[in-house]
Amino acid sequence: MNKNIIIVLIIILFKLNAFSQTHIITGKIKNPDYYTFDNVTICQGNKSINCNYIDKYGVFHIVIDPWLEKTLIIKCPELKTIIINSIDTIVYPLNIIMEKDPYYKEPDQTIRIREKNDFIFIMSIQTDIIFNDFSAFKTSLGSHNTDMLEKTGATINWELAGSYKNYFAGFNIGILYNTNSKDDSLNICLNSTHYGLQFGYCLIDSKRIWFTPEFALKWYKYRLTNSNNENQIPLNQYLTDRDLDIRFNQLTGFMGFKLGYKFYNKSDFVYNYWTAGIYGGYIFKINDYPWLYSRDNRLINNIKIGMENYNVGLFFSLNIF
């Protein structure tokens, strides 16, 4: 007979003999008060290749692999580990009582702080507040328009920023839209837009407090429009009255601070903590006179926007690293 065939037959017989010796061990897990546990694992050997779990009644069964260690290891995080040797000689079903591990400590789930990286990505929403005075334009634009322009004091901003080894830089954009429905003949609309570049250095970055001196370049844009509030008007009336469309551009510098309080995430979500806080400081005009534009023209102007020299705001941010 061919030698290879003989070898194959020997292997098959060996496998059948090993399979015939395979058996199932069953049992039940209890604690000293005879209550069952949910997170108990039963494994054959230390390598945890052949494992099973108890059911809701504490009952388990495990098919013994003849090629693995003849040891049964029963584990539960809060209980003492049980090791049963020579499992090919034991009598089953087993009744196992597990005892509490006196050295076990419950994991602290109140705050899960990840290891801090050099780079942090920050997404924020802010309310930016300044105090403008457009009363000098009342003669040119009328009180109905300057009253609307007085509402340019606040915008809702979205900011994307990053911090690297305590250095901070960010860009934000803000908008606010106002209309006047009280005027009998005009639709008056004001669109406020704010762009900002921020730079700073974090002086305090403790477990709860975040404090950063900051310098910023802020560009405030205001577009004021007037139109007849009727849906249909004669062409001659439109040519006589003409719609108003004027854009104010005011560039400013800012020196101040950001102060935030950290709230930590208790789950393993993408961000580590979020921050709520305030910012404020000194703001000053870079262009003394605002740059004025119509839809197609640059408008020559010698009138100033009055501005209080302080700028404040609130912010909420997610900090990801």
Side-chain angles (χ1 to χ4, degrees), residues 43-269:
C43 295
Q44 183 185 355
N46 289 314
K47 295 183 179 180
S48 301
I49 297 175
N50 182 25
C51 295
N52 208 343
Y53 301 88
I54 63 173
D55 63 15
K56 62 181 179 180
Y57 303 106
V59 175
F60 73 89
H61 70 275
I62 183 169
V63 178
I64 300 304
D65 189 333
W67 301 99
L68 298 179
E69 299 175 50
K70 300 299 187 292
T71 303
L72 207 62
I73 300 176
I74 304 170
K75 291 183 178 181
C76 181
E78 58 196 78
L79 305 178
K80 291 182 179 180
T81 299
I82 293 177
I83 301 175
I84 302 174
N85 296 310
S86 303
I87 56 177
D88 53 346
T89 63
I90 64 174
V91 178
Y92 50 87
L94 300 172
N95 285 304
I96 299 172
I97 296 177
M98 300 188 74
E99 298 180 352
K100 289 281 188 179
D101 184 354
Y103 300 104
Y104 175 77
K105 293 183 179 180
E106 292 287 343
D108 185 7
Q109 298 294 331
T110 56
I111 296 177
R112 302 183 64 176
I113 305 176
R114 299 175 186 171
E115 183 180 353
K116 186 176 178 181
N117 296 330
D118 288 337
F119 181 80
I120 302 175
F121 181 68
I122 303 169
M123 296 185 296
S124 302
I125 183 170
Q126 306 173 354
T127 301
D128 185 85
I129 302 172
I130 61 172
F131 301 91
N132 290 322
D133 180 7
F134 285 86
S135 60
F137 290 89
K138 185 177 294 186
T139 302
S140 302
L141 299 176
S143 59
H144 56 288
N145 280 317
T146 54
D147 289 344
M148 175 63 76
L149 287 167
E150 298 296 335
K151 299 179 181 180
T152 58
T155 54
I156 305 300
N157 298 356
W158 291 266
E159 181 176 271
L160 295 177
S163 176
Y164 181 73
K165 294 184 177 179
N166 292 333
Y167 289 96
F168 171 85
F171 169 77
N172 64 47
I173 181 172
I175 57 173
L176 192 69
Y177 184 74
N178 289 303
T179 60
N180 182 9
S181 59
K182 296 181 180 180
D183 196 282
D184 294 333
S185 59
L186 290 176
N187 286 325
I188 305 175
C189 300
L190 178 64
N191 188 7
S192 302
T193 308
H194 166 214
Y195 301 98
L197 284 174
Q198 284 78 33
F199 304 94
Y201 183 82
C202 186
L203 290 181
I204 300 176
D205 190 8
S206 66
K207 182 178 178 180
R208 288 295 182 182
I209 301 299
W210 183 67
F211 177 79
T212 303
E214 184 179 80
F215 170 78
L217 185 65
K218 300 186 178 186
W219 181 14
Y220 295 94
K221 300 179 65 178
Y222 312 115
R223 181 180 181 183
L224 176 70
T225 61
N226 290 176
S227 61
N228 197 292
N229 62 3
E230 297 181 9
N231 290 331
Q232 298 181 4
I233 60 173
L235 174 60
N236 291 336
Q237 181 181 348
Y238 171 76
L239 294 175
T240 301
D241 296 341
R242 294 297 179 97
D243 290 344
L244 175 67
D245 187 345
I246 187 171
R247 298 104 186 271
F248 295 81
N249 293 264
Q250 183 67 63
L251 194 62
T252 65
F254 170 85
M255 294 184 296
F257 68 91
K258 272 188 176 179
L259 176 64
Y261 185 83
K262 298 178 183 178
F263 298 86
Y264 285 90
N265 176 36
K266 295 182 180 181
S267 65
D268 198 18
F269 192 55

